[in-house]
Amino acid sequence: MDKRVVVVPKIRGFICTTAHPVGCAAHVDEQIAHVRQRHWTAGARTALVVGASTGYGLASRIVATFGLGADSLGVFLERPAKGDRTASAGWYNSIALERRARELGRQVWSINGDAFSQAVKMDTVALLKARFAPVDVVVYSLAAPQRIHPLTGEVFRSVLKPIGANFSSKTLQTDRNVVCDVALEPATEQEIAATVAVMGGEDWLLWMEALAAAGVLARGVKTVAYSYVGPRLTWPIYRDGTIGMAKKDLDGTVPRIDALLRPLGGKAYVAVNKAVVTQASSAIPVVPLYIALLFKVMKERGTHETCIGQMERLFAEKLPDGVVDGDGRLRLDGAELDQGVQDEVLRRWQLVTTENLWELADPDGYGKDFLRLFGFGLPGIDPLEAVETDLPLQRWDGTVWQ
Ligand code: NAI
């Protein structure tokens, strides 16, 4: 259906409810161009990316497809256009990525559904068997607010809270660029367990078990899930909070997946990534102010990196030889956690207010990155031009995703 409209950002708090289809495609093209600047020696035949439509998962799929030269299957949960609503950014991103990959003759398909469900895992297995060579790389990059347990039907909702004590801190209201205080109550035991159930390692393990049992994994397969450590000032809400417990659970899942993959000579990793602006990170209290300060400091030092730069280094420099830290994790956050950077961020953290925000931090950079996630503010896109919003995402069976 032809539905040309002028698409403008509609921001509510840390959410943007519209997405620009042409802008999202330009954002994907920009990331592809970034990847193509490098001469790639490592390769892969097939990559499976769970959580493939935005943020780190999208960047991973772009690197696997246009850097490693892989065919790729992406799994995600996105929304098509309906009535007056645009589709979600991940929907448009995935259409754009698939189009570019097909221009190169690649097999590239997506599954739009609940990755936590048994049905989506089974559909993925069937599609891999029908259309793809055995999988060399499995990326697990979900960031989800809830999970329906596939065996019990129980609904778990993740929360972003401290554990054990109240936590008060500065934060940034990103839609108004106001620095204010936030007070967070500690999570209950039930909330901690629910967050671990959503964002911990159980589902990653279930994915790997399903793929191994179906015989769709290649010899030497590697799987990687993403984590974050960050500086002390975010630890009460991140590392030592509910999400941190889930990330510890992810670490604890690595040996179990390693055991599963041993007969194939395969290996599981957790990669610790840098803080970047994504739909997931903008929802975490305190973190947006930290990111706005961090970006300013890292840009001043020339060490700033975005999602695609991080994932390029992961696939080119860390994953091939399994370059890990003392805890067995692939580290991409070295420049973020550099002592000089963190001393400066901490110094500015103590001083920052709404009045000096632009002097000490990079709220404009944060805001631009946020809008770009939804396809707004990219060069060469006329924001006043009416564009088609109802774009179809092809299914492998000749129909389209609804
Ligand atoms: P994001 O919000 O950009 O992407 C989340 C992805 O999960 C999307 O593809 C979405 O469609 C998919 N998804 C959510 N629920 C789903 C469901 N039920 N079924 C299928 N797909 C579903 O998030 P981001 O930030 O890229 O996060 C990915 C991972 O990277 C997370 O584990 C996060 O903790 C980690 N990470 C993020 C950092 C950051 O600064 N953003 C830093 C370090 C790690």
Side-chain angles (χ1 to χ4, degrees):
M1 196 202 317
D2 191 38
K3 202 183 289 168
R4 282 181 183 272
V5 286
V6 175
V7 185
V8 295
K10 285 194 188 140
I11 296 174
R12 270 196 247 121
F14 53 81
I15 292 168
C16 180
T17 58
T18 52
H20 196 290
V22 185
C24 286
H27 194 207
V28 167
D29 277 346
E30 222 176 56
Q31 295 184 67
I32 294 172
H34 179 104
V35 169
R36 285 197 169 136
Q37 284 167 15
R38 181 186 273 263
H39 173 69
W40 290 85
T41 46
R45 279 197 300 171
T46 302
L48 168 64
V49 182
V50 182
S53 51
T54 55
Y56 274 126
L58 173 67
S60 305
R61 193 179 187 193
I62 290 173
V63 172
T65 311
F66 301 94
L68 303 185
D71 290 337
S72 74
L73 203 172
V75 179
F76 45 76
L77 189 56
E78 298 295 345
R79 190 190 72 226
K82 198 173 182 191
D84 290 339
R85 289 186 77 174
T86 69
S88 56
W91 182 272
Y92 295 137
N93 291 339
S94 302
I95 290 171
L97 181 146
E98 289 194 1
R99 186 174 62 232
R100 291 294 182 229
R102 290 199 180 106
E103 285 168 7
L104 300 178
R106 299 274 153 69
Q107 279 287 341
V108 59
W109 298 104
S110 299
I111 292 187
N112 186 42
D114 180 7
F116 295 124
S117 70
Q118 198 57 17
V120 161
K121 291 183 178 74
M122 290 302 100
D123 282 353
T124 304
V125 161
L127 184 50
L128 286 169
K129 280 187 173 168
R131 297 284 177 103
F132 290 88
V135 180
D136 304 297
V137 186
V138 181
V139 174
Y140 188 82
S141 185
L142 290 182
Q146 71 163 41
R147 171 176 175 222
I148 302 172
H149 198 280
L151 302 178
T152 63
E154 193 175 346
V155 181
F156 296 103
R157 290 196 174 78
S158 64
V159 298
L160 294 158
K161 289 190 176 179
I163 293 177
N166 291 318
F167 174 53
S168 307
S169 169
K170 289 181 184 179
T171 193
L172 179 65
Q173 288 181 6
T174 49
D175 52 343
R176 297 167 46 216
N177 281 329
V178 169
V179 177
C180 57
D181 292 323
V182 60
L184 299 161
E185 304 245 312
T188 63
E189 287 302 322
Q190 204 183 356
E191 286 174 323
I192 299 168
T195 308
V196 171
V198 179
M199 290 296 289
E202 187 189 22
D203 183 60
W204 184 24
L205 178 62
L206 288 175
W207 267 102
M208 297 313 296
E209 284 175 344
L211 297 166
V216 293
L217 298 175
R219 276 210 71 74
V221 60
K222 288 179 180 168
T223 181
V224 58
Y226 299 140
S227 186
Y228 182 65
V229 172
R232 269 177 193 283
L233 76 92
T234 63
W235 283 4
I237 186 64
Y238 203 100
R239 208 193 83 153
D240 297 337
T242 49
I243 182 70
M245 289 305 117
K247 295 301 183 189
K248 283 193 187 85
D249 188 68
L250 210 56
D251 290 334
T253 308
V254 168
R256 298 181 66 185
I257 300 181
D258 276 346
L260 181 74
L261 300 183
R262 205 157 290 134
L264 289 167
K267 182 85 190 78
Y269 296 100
V270 163
V272 182
N273 302 345
K274 167 186 183 284
V276 290
V277 182
T278 65
Q279 295 182 42
S281 69
S282 47
I284 307 175
V286 183
V287 166
L289 180 58
Y290 165 70
I291 291 183
L293 288 161
L294 177 75
F295 279 17
K296 179 93 162 186
V297 174
M298 291 185 82
K299 283 176 184 174
E300 281 169 6
R301 291 169 185 236
T303 58
H304 178 66
E305 250 181 344
T306 57
C307 267
I308 196 69
Q310 285 267 296
M311 293 299 96
E312 179 202 339
R313 284 204 296 118
L314 172 66
F315 283 90
E317 297 169 16
K318 303 285 181 183
L319 204 52
D321 298 323
V323 182
V324 292
D325 69 5
D327 296 320
R329 295 177 300 189
L330 305 164
R331 297 302 290 259
L332 293 146
D333 58 345
E336 173 181 353
L337 294 187
D338 171 82
Q339 196 58 51
V341 167
Q342 285 304 325
D343 288 348
E344 183 56 20
V345 169
L346 188 59
R347 188 186 74 77
R348 296 183 189 201
W349 179 271
Q350 283 150 358
L351 300 173
V352 71
T353 60
T354 304
E355 289 67 40
N356 63 20
L357 185 62
W358 278 264
E359 184 194 325
L360 297 180
D362 185 19
D364 293 342
Y366 186 100
K368 277 186 192 150
D369 278 7
F370 182 76
L371 284 173
R372 286 163 61 86
L373 298 176
F374 304 92
F376 298 108
L378 280 109
I381 309 289
D382 178 357
L384 298 179
E385 189 180 322
V387 291
E388 176 61 59
T389 54
D390 193 3
L391 304 183
L393 179 61
Q394 301 294 332
R395 277 171 71 118
W396 64 93
D397 60 4
T399 63
V400 293
W401 287 103
Q402 301 293 330

